[in-house]
Every structure is written in structure tokens, then in C-alpha cells.
Amino acid sequence: MSHPVAPATGSGRIRTPLPFPTAAKPAVADTQLRANLHRATRTIRAKRARVVDEVPDWEALRDAGSAIKADVQRRLPELLEQFEASATAAGATVHWARDAAEACRIVVALTRAAGADEVVKVKSMATQEIELNEALEAAGIAAYETDLAELIVQLGDDTPSHILVPAIHYNRAQIREIFQRRMADAPADLSDEPAALAEAARAHLRRRFLSARVAVSGANFAVADTGTLVVVESEGNGRMCLTLPETLISVVGVEKLLPTFTDLEVFLQLLPRSSTGERMNPYTSMWTGVTPGDGPQDVHIVLVDNGRSAVLADPVGRPALSCIRCSACLNVCPVYERAGGHAYGSVYPGPIGAILSPQLTGVADNASLPYASTLCGACYDVCPVKINIPEILVHLRQQAPHPPAERAAMRVLAWVMRSPRRWAAALRLARTGAGPLGAYRERRTGARTLRRLPWPASAWTRSRDLPLPAPQTFREWWGKQ
């Protein structure tokens, strides 16, 4: 069977834009968002550092992970055919999808063939990428997220803001309000204690698990020589989806392949330490096709390209396909910690999203994302598979389109910044002009920022605040000390 993955020479590349959601300002206050992000990322960073320090050969593991992923990219067409043969021999049915629309059509058709009008879902970035939930809804099929954080986001009609902890921008009082408003079986006296919220979600989801005939999952890894899929998680809800329904449909990006089962030894050490700061994931589920009388008896695997061939064809950008979705780069990124995931306007936020999303859709469709970085290199230092994110960011910046107005503005700015005298004069002028407005905003809101600006500047303030010039520069402050 032919498949959509093109060889590295670039022939037959598929470039279908992804329907990424439009960036929207988070539903919670910026101060709370930043506090939540700072607290969560600091905690995860500390846990990661502790468990990584326990591994004497950590750098050797990173090298091994990087080498395995590079080998996959060199041999991807061959490994995909091997995976298809292995999975088919084990009783699974393998489908190929060139783009998001084709993948959604396949899942919708399989769900209808199973006679179901609802599905339960394992947390999956791939299904978010192809907007599967929206496609199922349009087909009259209800999709229920079972990961607790994804459930919160779904009930709140929101989008995830973090790869690992999608509901990081909510506090527990807001979660309680969402549950009481959108979860019909939530207790009337539900408190905002974490244990009570988790128990309410557990009771709600258990009924879904027991009645669902179809489940949809992604996969963290797909093993070519055995046809095995692997999902790692922390809650156990994913395992309920993977074992109880009669039909299981797994949507898997083609880059998730590993050549051999023994390669999991490397990645099952790298992933939990880099993501949740754990020595191993609480739940590691593996399945290979169909086992008679045990688990789903109708197993389907949808292998999705959706722009990955284009990424594979770029020798500089190709390492982005090595990503194992651990979110370590988000947890150390100063831009992400300040702005949050919604500001990226992409399914994949943070540093990895800044290099992956533009390549999947075409740089022109996400031209601003390669600039969402200080190029500090912290993401490269923690990446478990050693993706050189700063190098790819610079590469993508060179490809991004630059309108005439932007080029003119950059020339003027370059002229001003070439002269210390002109630069100092420009800063004084900006402070003088914005001084009264900044003082007013500081009295009203406690911050010298603007939340809304008219078009075209509204494109900026739709997902972030605009800071006004500070009353004095650092040099002025230093001089007075």
C-alpha cells in the first residue's frame, strides 16, 4: 500500500494547513495565569531535576534517544511499512491519512460502522491537531475527554494551555463552578477541595467508560517490529478507554515510530523524568493488535501525515519530529511562563510549538511563532532528545514573510538603535508620551499595561497585554544608586 510519507528528498510533499484555533485571551486573569504557571513550572522543574540527577548516564540516554529518532527519520517510509505489516498480522486494521480532513473522515466512518453515537477519548495531541472533536460533533457524534484536565477544558469550552497540564490556567474554585454548571451529575454540595473535584469527575467518567462502545486514543510510541502501540499516563482513565470498549481507534502521527521494542527502554526512562518528574509513569499501556476475548476486538490505527512529510524534507527543521511531547521545554521557557499557552494560538504551545506548528502548516500561516523566543537555549538544555530548538527557530525566522510595512519599520528601528544618543532620545519621548496613561493604568489596575488596542494593534492585545514604558530606564535607576 502506498502512503503519504515522502522521502527526505522532498518529492511528493503534502502541505495541508492545520485548522489551528484562533488565539484568544485566557478566561482567567493574567495575574492568576502567571502565578499558576510560575508555581506549576517551578514545581515540575524541581521534580525533574531531582529524578534526572539520580541517573548517572542521563546524557548517554539523551544521546541514544536523539540517535534513535534520527534513524527513524532516515528510514521512515520503510519503518511505516514494517509497522503496518506487524500490526496487520496481529489483527489490527491500519489506515493512512494524508491530512486532517482525511483522518477525521476515517474516524467518523469507523465510529458510524460500529453503530455508536459517542466516543470516549484518551488524552491526545494528535486528535487536537486534526480537530477531531469538532469533526465528530459535526457528524452527530459526541466525544468525551476522559483525562481530568482535558475534561475541565472541554466542559469550560476552552482550549488547553499546556501539553502536560492543559487546565493549568484554572484554579479549583473555577473548576468547581465549571463542574456544577456543565456536569449534570455533579453533587449539589460539591466543594472545591481537590479530592472532592476528582471524585466527582471519577463518578461522571465511570458511567461513560461502562457505556462506551468506541474509544479514540493517540499513542506516545508505535513500535515498527511488533506493531505495538504505547500510551503512558498518570490517572488510569486512558487504560479504561483502551480496555473496555469493543472498538478502539488510535490516531497516530507518523513520527511516533520506534524501530524496535527494545528502544522503549530508552524512552520509558526519558519521558516520565522529563514530563512529570517521575521515575516511571503510573500507567504504561501497550497493546498489539487484537487479543481474542481480552480488550477491544475491533482495533484500528490511523497513521496521520498532515504536514509531517514537509517537515521531514527540511534537513534543518526535521529534528522537530523527534519531539516526544514531554513539555520540558515549556517548563523552562521564560516566554511561555510569562505569556501562557493560549498566546501561541497553536495546538502545540511553547518552544516546541514555535518550531513544529509553522512547519506543519507552512511558515506563512504561523509566521510570528518563531519569534516567540529569547533564544536563551534553556529548551535545548532540557530536551530529552536534544532538539536544537534555537537553531530551528533562527532557520524558520529566515523563511518567514516580512510585509513591506514591517521591513520599513525595522529599518527605522535599526537606524534609531545604531546610535546611543538617538536611542536614549526615543526612550525619553516614549516615556513622556505614555507617562500620564501609564500612571492612570497603574492606579486603576496595578500594572502599566493596556489590555485592548484598536486595529491593527488589536491583533497583539487579543491574546496578551501591551506594556507601557517604565517611568525610568535601568541605566537611570543604576545611576541614581
Side-chain angles (χ1 to χ4, degrees):
M1 177 184 293
S2 63
H3 52 73
V5 176
T9 58
S11 61
R13 293 190 300 172
I14 307 296
R15 296 190 71 135
T16 302
L18 293 173
F20 284 138
T22 303
K25 189 164 287 190
V28 296
D30 290 339
T31 52
Q32 177 188 307
L33 171 66
R34 291 170 187 148
N36 289 353
L37 287 171
H38 179 69
R39 181 171 57 252
T41 55
R42 181 180 57 190
T43 300
I44 296 171
R45 283 198 305 266
K47 289 178 64 180
R48 176 195 174 276
R50 287 195 299 270
V51 295
V52 164
D53 286 345
E54 297 173 354
V55 184
D57 61 345
W58 179 253
E59 288 305 313
L61 279 172
R62 293 180 70 205
D63 289 335
S66 178
I68 292 168
K69 283 293 189 176
D71 177 51
V72 168
Q73 289 151 26
R74 284 191 295 268
R75 301 193 292 128
L76 188 55
E78 166 199 336
L79 292 173
L80 282 168
E81 291 179 351
Q82 182 184 11
F83 175 82
E84 180 187 29
S86 300
T88 302
T93 303
V94 178
H95 309 261
W96 301 86
R98 291 174 176 82
D99 54 30
E102 187 171 8
C104 289
R105 284 196 299 270
I106 292 170
V107 176
V108 168
L110 291 173
T111 305
R112 285 175 170 165
D117 59 4
E118 64 179 44
V119 301
V120 288
K121 291 184 69 237
V122 184
K123 183 180 186 300
S124 165
M125 297 297 295
T127 59
Q128 291 176 26
E129 175 189 319
I130 65 174
E131 291 200 331
L132 178 60
N133 286 12
E134 290 78 3
L136 290 170
E137 182 180 10
I141 300 168
Y144 298 107
E145 299 289 350
T146 63
D147 176 84
L148 177 55
E150 292 284 0
L151 174 66
I152 293 165
V153 169
Q154 183 182 44
L155 293 177
D157 294 320
D158 201 355
T159 55
S161 60
H162 191 280
I163 291 175
L164 181 66
V165 276
I168 194 173
H169 51 291
Y170 286 106
N171 63 32
R172 64 190 195 183
Q174 291 168 318
I175 295 170
R176 171 184 176 274
E177 187 275 329
I178 290 172
F179 280 8
Q180 289 198 314
R181 177 166 48 88
R182 296 296 304 276
M183 192 186 290
D185 51 2
D189 59 347
L190 179 65
S191 76
D192 63 0
E193 288 299 314
L197 295 172
E199 178 58 28
R202 177 180 178 275
H204 172 77
L205 290 172
R206 184 57 58 95
R207 283 183 278 274
R208 299 288 185 202
F209 293 139
L210 295 176
S211 63
R213 299 169 62 182
V214 176
V216 176
S217 81
N220 293 97
F221 308 107
V223 182
D225 70 344
T226 63
T228 302
L229 295 181
V230 183
V231 164
V232 297
E233 49 154 342
S234 297
E235 298 174 6
N237 293 333
R239 182 166 293 178
M240 301 285 279
C241 293
L242 299 173
T243 55
L244 291 177
E246 180 68 18
T247 299
L248 174 60
I249 307 167
S250 300
V251 180
V252 184
V254 294
E255 81 282 12
K256 295 299 183 72
L257 284 179
L258 298 179
T260 69
F261 195 85
T262 55
D263 294 325
L264 288 171
E265 174 193 358
V266 173
F267 290 94
L268 293 182
Q269 293 183 76
L270 289 172
L271 181 54
R273 286 175 166 83
S274 297
S275 58
T276 55
E278 296 172 296
R279 297 177 183 89
M280 65 180 293
N281 292 98
Y283 295 88
T284 299
S285 299
M286 304 183 188
W287 67 101
T288 306
V290 175
T291 301
D294 184 11
Q297 299 299 291
D298 188 18
V299 174
H300 298 267
I301 303 167
V302 184
L303 294 173
V304 182
D305 185 327
N306 204 37
R308 286 156 176 81
S309 290
V311 185
L312 186 67
D314 183 344
V316 178
R318 184 185 306 161
L321 295 178
S322 299
C323 176
I324 58 174
R325 311 292 192 267
C326 69
S327 76
C329 60
L330 280 71
N331 298 329
V332 298
C333 178
V335 175
Y336 175 84
E337 185 170 336
R338 183 70 177 173
H342 288 127
Y344 290 81
S346 162
V347 170
Y348 300 104
I352 188 59
I355 64 170
L356 186 57
S357 295
Q359 294 191 88
L360 289 175
T361 67
V363 176
D365 290 336
N366 279 286
S368 67
L369 283 183
Y371 294 91
S373 171
T374 65
L375 301 179
C376 68
C379 50
Y380 183 27
D381 292 339
V382 300
C383 177
V385 289
K386 290 193 169 181
I387 302 172
N388 192 337
I389 293 177
E391 178 183 65
I392 301 175
L393 285 169
V394 172
H395 171 65
L396 295 177
R397 289 179 184 185
Q398 295 167 352
Q399 299 180 20
H402 300 283
E406 179 185 339
R407 292 198 298 268
M410 290 299 105
R411 284 196 294 269
V412 171
L413 187 59
W415 178 79
V416 171
M417 297 180 73
R418 274 197 298 267
S419 166
R421 183 172 297 178
R422 289 195 293 265
W423 177 243
L427 288 178
R428 285 196 299 271
L429 181 62
R431 288 202 308 277
T432 301
L437 180 58
Y440 169 77
R441 292 292 298 168
E442 193 166 16
R443 288 196 305 271
R444 285 284 306 273
T445 67
R448 297 173 65 89
T449 59
L450 296 177
R451 291 187 60 82
R452 293 180 179 82
L453 287 175
W455 186 90
S458 59
W460 175 274
T461 55
R462 184 169 61 242
S463 54
R464 57 184 72 79
D465 292 349
L466 177 69
L468 293 168
Q472 62 177 174
T473 67
F474 174 79
R475 288 178 179 270
E476 291 169 343
W477 174 85
W478 184 260
K480 291 181 180 180
Q481 301 305 310

